[in-house]
Amino acid sequence: MLGAIIPDLDDVVATERRSLPTPANPILPLHLRPALLAGVAIVERAGPEMLKMLRAKMMGQNQARFSSAIDEIMNHTCRSVASSQLQLI
């Protein structure tokens, strides 16, 4: 997924000759962690449009799970903004 946001990341990981983290071994190598944080920051700043683009890049069950997570986040965010706007009134 990060390869869709940071295009050169896939090449860097391929030269690593190490596999990406799995549920059994969830530790990301130290030198790849800044790329992960940068990807998160890019998505956060781009907002919902970036989430829609990422959803389009996924397939099958991954797309369904991602869509579900996005919908939950967006609903929670909309409720938070609405309640904070009521507090301002």
Side-chain angles (χ1 to χ4, degrees), residues 6-77:
I6 305 171
D8 295 334
L9 184 65
D10 290 334
D11 294 334
V12 170
V13 172
T15 61
E16 255 309 286
R17 294 188 186 138
R18 293 168 69 174
S19 59
L20 288 176
T22 64
N25 184 20
I27 299 170
L28 187 67
L30 286 174
H31 67 282
L32 293 178
R33 292 178 189 181
L36 176 63
L37 293 173
V40 169
I42 290 167
V43 171
E44 182 181 30
R45 286 190 179 168
E49 294 79 23
M50 176 68 80
L51 293 175
K52 290 175 187 172
M53 185 274 297
L54 291 173
R55 181 187 331 198
K57 298 245 180 217
M58 299 183 136
M59 297 170 51
Q61 290 295 325
N62 287 335
Q63 187 178 37
R65 284 192 298 269
F66 192 74
S67 294
S68 166
I70 289 173
D71 292 341
E72 185 176 325
I73 290 168
M74 295 305 291
N75 287 337
H76 178 71
T77 302

